[in-house]
Amino acid sequence: MKKIAILVSLLIVAGLLLAACGQQAPQTVVVTQVVEKNGEQVVVTQVVEVTPTPPPEPVTLDINWGTEPPTADPGLATDTTSVAVAGQMFMGLTKFNPKTGEVEPWLATSWEASEGGAVYTFHLRKDVPWVKYNTATGEVEQVLDDNGNPRMVNAHDVEYAVKRTLDPATASDYAYVLYIIKNGQAFNTGADGVTADDVGVKALDDWTVQFTLESPAGFFPAIAGMWVVSPVPQWVIEAAGEKWTEPGTVVTNGPYVMTEWVHGSELNMKRNPYWPLWAANGGDIKGNIDVIHGVMITEESTAFALYENNELDTTGVPLGEMDRVKSDPELSKEYYNAPDLCTYYYGFVNNKPPFDDVRVRKAFAMAVDKQSLVDNVLKGGQTPADHFAPPGIFGAPDPGAFSKEMPFDPEKAKALLQEYLDEKGMTLDDFNALGITLMHNTSESHAKIAAAIQQMWKDNLGVDVKVENQEWKVYLDTIKKTTPLDEVPHIFRLGWCVDYPDENNWVYEVFNNTAGANRLRRGCVDATCTEVKPMKFDELTEQAKVEQDPEKRKELYYEAEHELAVTEAAYIPLYFYVINTVTKPWLQRDYPPLGAPNYWDWVIDWNAKKAATGG
Amino acid sequence: MGRYIIRRVFGFIPVLFAVALFTFILVRVIPGGPFDYAGEKALPPQVVANIEAKYHLDWPVTWQFVSYLFGDDVVEFLSAGKYQQPADGGSKGLIRGDFGPSLRYRGQSVTDIIKGTFPISFQLGLLAMIIGLSIGVPAGIIAALKQNSWLDYTATFIAVLGVSVPSMVLGPVLIWLFAVKLGWLPVATWGAKPPFILGLFPRDILSWKFWSHAIMPAIAMGTGMSASIARLTRASLLQVIREDYIRTARAKGLSERTVIAIHALKNSMIPVVTIMGPLFAAVVTGSLIIEQIFGINGMGRHFVQSVGNRDYPLLMGVTLVYTFLLLIANLMVDLTYAWLDPRIRYD
């Protein structure tokens, strides 16, 4: 009897100790107890294993969105912040591999192209439910259909989303990305007699959706991964109108649901427990982040201070902190330099004398020391560019592919310019009297780059180039192809960032003189390019767009890039962007080069984070 | 006095109208429109046309202005149905308190944005103003009374320093020192989230959580102000002390304390009060720099960003709010004059 009493008292003590040790790392506790054994008092020492209770708080990722997202509606998103937000809440048909950028299954498990490549059929997952966050209970709830079953995302939702994006009444900026779909452009521009029913997207059954294209397009699976194709809930949009993306109203299907959106200040999310791809639900997505707490800090140096104070798990590195980050023993380990699929370039106005002569363009291009620009001016580990599309884009030549033909070579540059001057019977002074102008939009970093290149032209060619700048929207107006020749600068600055990882999005959409904005004014019959003649480059890019054989496409794009950067020297590719980031050691992450960041794959060592933040 | 105030308030209407009209024209004269580009990408003209149609930017400018002031239904009525209001009713017009939709933040109205950001800017501005006055006025008085003493030189030196060190330098220095190095205060953001007391004042004014966030931005904004107030107070008080009526007061045998406190101080406050009006309107509508540095969701940034985004209704909205506050503040200043200087009467 006594023994049982002793045992019970021991258990109670152990229980108390266990409670006191809650939320601690696993440990063993020594319990000392005086017990009566066979009529004598004995001191018994026992080792009790204390099992720690799992952390009751959700695993929280602290990030900086950077700015208030202009929208969370995937049909309207155009900027990286909106895409990042919408990408957590809505699944596209495909997604891009966060490491390689290749197209992978996402909402669609498989797809096939028809013979000829103008019809694509996607087969959808059948287990992704629509969910909604209940602001009153703080729980994520499944949306039920009329029969009380969870309402699954189906092919009709995809069809609706595509037609909605193309509907002129939706007024979506990125509707033009879907012009590749049959009648997409006609419907979006309100062509006579074309209705939503004529658009080449159709749900064959609940789980199969078919796209009919205007012309064969090998890159269509990449387009299908873009946010404008993500299924959206028709019934919610029709009931709530423009404000359908507010928490409590919005119905989503992605890994995270929006719980709170204080406009301009914070946007927070929570794990969607019904999402079938989580490992816990039998899927293969292993991220452990329960809550995304996202602030909107515009100022990079403030975000960096927040990071140093352990208030953010990852952030960008401001240029001013680069040297310190690289030399600091801790920060240098947390630093990572990830490629960003963007290219910075200087365009020539190809029909404005003297840049209507390829020798002048080549001379200016070869007189720029891009390596020195990257090392001494930019200092962010960028890659010098010798063509347009950065590595990671389908069809992009290897970096440096054309650097033999278009090297930094002041001697050759000078000779080319001299050849031109001799032919025209000009002296260098006459040339300088032309008032060559380089223009960029107002920004400190663009000004620095322009000043460096201006100096290179002065040193290597002896030419005087005037640098001017204008406010962004005024600037974009100035460099349009319709601006009279004497008002447009000779050389202008621009950049381009990826929408989908295919050369078509680069050389064709930007530089093809009928499909793109043709700011370079290539092949113009008149001064303001109301009429253009296709050049070899334009024909190559047209051809590559509809070519079915991937290898053949690569060859065509290689040739097109060569044509533009070397043969025509129509522009100067300067460098490929990088993102300089720091990440706390407790966060395991990827650096997806395009699309929304894959927070669903990220893993936080929660105990390490808590220990560091003192939480 | 009452009639004077009423007359002044009615006088606001033509001023607000004129500001609205000029801003409306000016923003449309700047080259570039809100939807020509997505980032660096030129949008196809058809896409731009779709978006412009949605926001009625395809209407003639006069009708757009009528719509801004009176609403889409009035436009439909006046144009005899030529320009139709959209299915959801469209803009109700300024006159009915609708500032229209934001062109940049799809789905948010300008009224939403102002409601969300103005209270924060107001709190911050008010705190900064309190700091500015409570440091600036006493410092100026001391400097004036002890003219050419070490106290004067110290105060003047600090004032010059305060004016010369801009908040864009002071802010990051404060963050580096008190948040990153010492770890006493959080780096950024404004502690309180709406709702506020009366829509403007912080709800938990007594909590350390609020003050720990508020103190650095308020100081960064307030010190520059205190410096200019101190200099102005000093100059004004020095001038007043040399006036005849002060000599008279002294000749009557009043104590120096009474002379300064009753006769000199009140009069010397007139220039200070004069700048307080515009200063008040300016600080409570936010400061871009302070908001950027401390990550505060205030209204100041919208003055700048709405121009860059060509977000016409948002730019109009913040401009009109600022104008209205400026008019109110100036009226207050004028009323204060009557109290400070007995020679001024409003009848």
Side-chain angles (χ1 to χ4, degrees):
Chain A
M1 205 49 216
K2 244 180 191 171
K3 273 183 186 170
I4 292 171
I6 291 163
L7 198 72
V8 168
S9 70
L10 242 173
L11 276 172
I12 290 169
V13 171
L16 284 172
L17 274 166
L18 208 119
C21 297
Q23 299 181 23
Q24 294 282 315
Q27 51 182 286
T28 48
V29 177
V30 182
V31 180
T32 314
Q33 183 85 14
V34 182
V35 290
E36 256 182 81
K37 202 177 171 185
N38 302 328
E40 349 168 359
Q41 297 208 328
V42 186
V43 176
V44 177
T45 307
Q46 242 182 320
V47 177
V48 181
E49 185 88 24
V50 177
T51 337
T53 46
E57 325 97 305
V59 174
T60 305
L61 174 72
D62 290 291
I63 49 154
N64 178 18
W65 296 111
T67 171
E68 158 82 0
T71 180
D73 181 338
L76 299 179
T78 60
D79 60 294
T80 48
T81 314
S82 301
V83 170
V85 169
Q88 311 307 318
M89 306 196 296
F90 297 94
M91 293 176 81
L93 291 179
T94 60
K95 69 160 178 161
F96 306 115
N97 182 296
K99 292 188 175 69
T100 62
E102 276 164 22
V103 178
E104 289 184 340
W106 197 225
L107 184 63
T109 49
S110 65
W111 54 88
E112 67 262 346
S114 67
E115 195 69 33
V119 177
Y120 275 82
T121 310
F122 290 82
H123 305 280
L124 309 188
R125 296 183 70 98
K126 299 174 184 169
D127 55 358
V128 180
W130 287 106
V131 294
K132 183 174 173 173
Y133 178 70
N134 184 328
T135 41
T137 61
E139 294 298 325
V140 181
E141 293 168 358
Q142 298 193 70
V143 175
L144 303 181
D145 63 12
D146 295 339
N147 303 325
N149 300 317
R151 168 77 166 79
M152 296 297 172
V153 177
N154 61 35
H156 304 284
D157 296 326
V158 179
E159 182 183 331
Y160 168 73
V162 170
K163 289 180 175 171
R164 171 177 178 264
T165 303
L166 281 169
D167 189 336
T170 309
S172 166
D173 295 32
Y174 261 36
Y176 74 88
V177 177
L178 301 181
Y179 283 4
I180 186 78
I181 297 172
K182 193 164 184 59
N183 283 325
Q185 182 162 15
F187 177 48
N188 187 242
T189 55
D192 276 341
V194 179
T195 65
D197 296 335
D198 301 317
V199 175
V201 54
K202 194 166 173 13
L204 297 183
D205 58 47
D206 278 359
W207 316 110
T208 316
V209 62
Q210 190 175 69
F211 292 87
T212 311
L213 309 183
E214 286 282 349
S215 57
F219 51 88
F220 189 72
I223 296 223
M226 286 181 67
W227 49 97
V228 280
V229 184
S230 303
V232 287
Q234 180 171 10
W235 68 96
V236 180
I237 296 171
E238 283 170 359
E242 290 232 288
K243 290 198 186 286
W244 74 276
T245 50
E246 292 297 317
T249 307
V250 66
V251 169
T252 58
N253 57 48
Y256 290 96
V257 291
M258 193 196 289
T259 54
E260 191 179 25
W261 187 0
V262 184
H263 290 284
S265 176
E266 269 185 26
L267 192 155
N268 303 322
M269 293 188 174
K270 182 178 176 177
R271 176 187 274 253
N272 165 12
Y274 300 104
W275 196 55
L277 278 81
W278 294 123
N281 297 339
D284 54 2
I285 302 274
K286 297 190 179 63
N288 75 337
I289 291 161
D290 297 318
V291 169
I292 300 170
H293 172 244
V295 293
M296 299 166 192
I297 307 282
T298 338
E299 184 68 29
E300 266 200 316
S301 55
T302 304
F304 193 77
L306 281 169
Y307 175 83
E308 288 198 271
N309 230 17
N310 289 329
E311 291 178 62
L312 287 178
D313 291 325
T314 177
T315 191
V317 182
L319 195 57
E321 303 278 4
M322 276 304 282
D323 292 335
R324 183 162 73 88
V325 167
K326 283 181 179 167
S327 58
D328 186 281
E330 289 297 314
L331 286 171
S332 60
K333 274 187 258 164
E334 300 169 6
Y335 167 74
Y336 187 77
N337 171 296
D340 190 12
L341 300 181
C342 295
T343 305
Y344 190 102
Y345 67 94
Y346 275 180
F348 296 119
V349 176
N350 280 243
N351 66 349
K352 179 165 182 165
F355 290 92
D356 53 350
D357 191 296
V358 68
R359 286 166 298 185
V360 178
R361 298 197 297 264
K362 277 197 171 170
F364 272 69
M366 286 187 190
V368 175
D369 186 352
K370 296 168 192 170
Q371 190 63 52
S372 156
L373 182 77
V374 165
D375 294 343
N376 303 318
V377 181
L378 298 161
K379 297 182 185 172
Q382 290 83 352
T383 319
D386 60 327
H387 57 268
F388 195 46
I393 301 296
F394 177 87
D398 292 330
F402 309 141
S403 55
K404 282 223 169 59
E405 287 170 276
M406 289 294 284
F408 164 58
D409 187 343
E411 293 312 313
K412 202 167 168 198
K414 226 172 190 163
L416 280 166
L417 184 66
Q418 196 56 48
E419 206 184 303
Y420 172 82
L421 294 176
D422 292 346
E423 188 187 296
K424 300 273 166 182
M426 293 164 84
T427 63
L428 199 56
D429 289 337
D430 296 337
F431 188 86
N432 282 336
L434 294 173
I436 308 292
T437 311
L438 161 67
M439 198 183 275
H440 61 84
N441 55 303
T442 313
S443 131
E444 207 185 320
S445 57
H446 299 328
K448 265 192 200 164
I449 294 168
I453 291 179
Q454 181 190 32
Q455 192 60 43
M456 289 176 192
W457 284 330
K458 176 82 199 156
D459 294 346
N460 301 333
L461 293 175
V463 297
D464 297 319
V465 174
K466 234 181 358 188
V467 177
E468 290 179 358
N469 70 84
Q470 288 182 342
E471 185 265 353
W472 180 230
K473 294 223 166 179
V474 179
Y475 174 71
L476 287 171
D477 235 39
T478 305
I479 61 173
K480 264 189 195 163
K481 68 173 179 184
T482 46
T483 307
L485 264 193
D486 50 341
E487 286 168 33
V488 77
H490 296 84
I491 308 163
F492 60 88
R493 172 218 87 84
L494 267 186
W496 182 258
C497 289
V498 66
D499 291 318
Y500 55 94
D502 191 280
E503 270 277 18
N504 189 64
N505 181 231
W506 292 75
V507 285
Y508 177 76
E509 287 183 15
V510 181
F511 289 134
N512 182 288
N513 64 9
T514 46
N518 201 17
R519 295 190 182 95
L520 300 178
R521 305 197 192 194
R522 297 173 44 264
C524 292
V525 175
D526 53 322
T528 52
C529 300
T530 35
E531 203 184 317
V532 288
K533 279 195 307 232
M535 300 169 75
K536 190 177 174 203
F537 165 83
D538 307 292
E539 282 160 6
L540 284 167
T541 47
E542 290 280 357
Q543 232 179 308
K545 185 184 175 192
V546 295
E547 175 59 52
Q548 282 303 290
D549 179 11
E551 285 311 309
K552 195 80 186 291
R553 291 188 73 220
K554 275 188 193 169
E555 279 167 33
L556 289 169
Y557 281 128
Y558 184 91
E559 221 178 311
E561 287 265 25
H562 183 271
E563 195 67 18
L564 196 69
V566 182
T567 315
E568 285 188 39
Y571 73 119
I572 315 176
L574 285 172
Y575 64 88
F576 301 131
Y577 289 31
V578 288
I579 309 180
N580 293 300
T581 45
V582 277
T583 304
K584 291 292 180 188
W586 52 78
L587 175 61
Q588 270 179 55
R589 61 169 294 185
D590 293 308
Y591 298 88
L594 75 167
N598 57 334
Y599 297 138
W600 51 86
D601 285 325
W602 295 14
V603 175
I604 290 179
D605 180 346
W606 184 242
N607 287 324
K609 175 168 174 173
K610 270 184 50 177
T613 52
Chain B
M1 187 71 123
R3 282 182 58 196
Y4 172 77
I5 295 174
I6 292 167
R7 209 168 61 231
R8 281 287 296 271
V9 170
F10 272 103
F12 289 180
I13 295 167
V15 176
L16 284 170
F17 177 81
V19 169
L21 181 64
F22 278 115
T23 319
F24 195 86
I25 295 169
L26 282 174
V27 294
R28 278 165 177 75
V29 169
I30 324 173
F35 305 114
D36 305 354
Y37 301 92
E40 306 209 338
K41 286 157 203 182
L43 293 174
Q46 309 93 309
V47 172
V48 177
N50 286 340
I51 310 174
E52 290 190 339
K54 184 182 169 75
Y55 293 102
H56 302 328
L57 294 172
D58 54 342
W59 289 3
V61 177
T62 18
W63 286 118
Q64 288 183 41
F65 191 59
V66 174
S67 155
Y68 185 77
L69 289 185
F70 304 108
D72 288 348
D73 45 351
V74 175
V75 171
E76 183 171 334
F77 176 73
L78 289 178
S79 70
K82 192 172 173 212
Y83 301 107
Q84 305 244 328
Q85 62 169 322
D88 65 353
S91 167
K92 288 201 280 294
L94 190 59
I95 210 154
R96 280 174 277 176
D98 183 352
F99 285 101
S102 163
L103 305 182
R104 166 78 175 167
Y105 303 104
R106 305 278 294 254
Q108 290 187 53
S109 72
V110 172
T111 316
D112 291 340
I113 294 176
I114 292 177
K115 265 190 195 159
T117 54
F118 178 65
I120 295 172
S121 287
F122 184 86
Q123 292 173 19
L124 173 59
L126 210 62
L127 287 177
M129 194 115 180
I130 292 169
I131 291 175
L133 282 175
S134 53
I135 299 176
V137 172
I141 293 173
I142 291 168
L145 295 182
K146 308 277 176 199
Q147 197 192 357
N148 296 333
S149 73
W150 66 270
L151 267 174
D152 180 19
Y153 294 140
T154 316
T156 311
F157 176 74
I158 291 171
V160 170
L161 203 69
V163 175
S164 326
V165 177
S167 49
M168 60 194 294
V169 173
L170 185 60
V173 168
L174 289 175
I175 290 180
W176 177 81
L177 186 63
F178 292 104
V180 178
K181 284 291 146 195
L182 299 173
W184 294 350
L185 299 168
V187 173
T189 71
W190 196 245
K193 278 184 200 167
F196 310 95
I197 298 170
L198 299 175
L200 288 179
F201 302 96
R203 184 184 38 183
D204 33 20
I205 191 97
L206 292 177
S207 81
W208 168 242
K209 189 168 181 288
F210 170 77
W211 285 103
S212 66
H213 285 92
I215 197 158
M216 281 200 295
I219 285 178
M221 201 167 169
T223 45
M225 218 185 301
S226 74
S228 29
I229 292 174
R231 282 163 56 88
L232 195 65
T233 308
R234 175 179 180 274
S236 169
L237 189 56
L238 280 177
Q239 198 193 355
V240 169
I241 287 174
R242 288 175 177 76
E243 292 284 337
D244 287 345
Y245 62 85
I246 298 296
R247 193 173 305 132
T248 313
R250 286 201 177 118
K252 280 199 298 188
L254 292 177
S255 72
E256 185 64 15
R257 172 181 298 228
T258 318
V259 171
I260 298 298
I262 307 289
H263 298 275
L265 257 186
K266 212 168 145 188
N267 273 289
S268 71
M269 280 298 111
I270 287 181
V272 179
V273 168
T274 309
I275 64 153
M276 290 299 286
L279 196 64
F280 174 81
V283 296
V284 299
T285 49
S287 145
L288 171 78
I289 292 166
I290 297 288
E291 286 168 15
Q292 291 272 85
I293 291 171
F294 292 98
I296 295 167
N297 183 25
M299 204 167 92
R301 67 172 81 168
H302 292 306
F303 283 90
V304 181
Q305 289 173 359
S306 62
V307 182
N309 294 330
R310 304 288 190 274
D311 193 341
Y312 302 147
L314 183 53
L315 177 56
M316 297 279 299
V318 292
T319 309
L320 287 173
V321 168
Y322 175 70
T323 313
F324 183 70
L325 284 168
L326 190 61
L327 290 169
I328 296 273
N330 278 338
L331 176 60
M332 292 299 177
V333 168
D334 288 349
L335 296 179
T336 319
Y337 284 163
W339 174 69
L340 289 174
D341 187 341
R343 288 169 299 184
I344 300 171
R345 286 273 175 276
Y346 300 116
D347 284 314

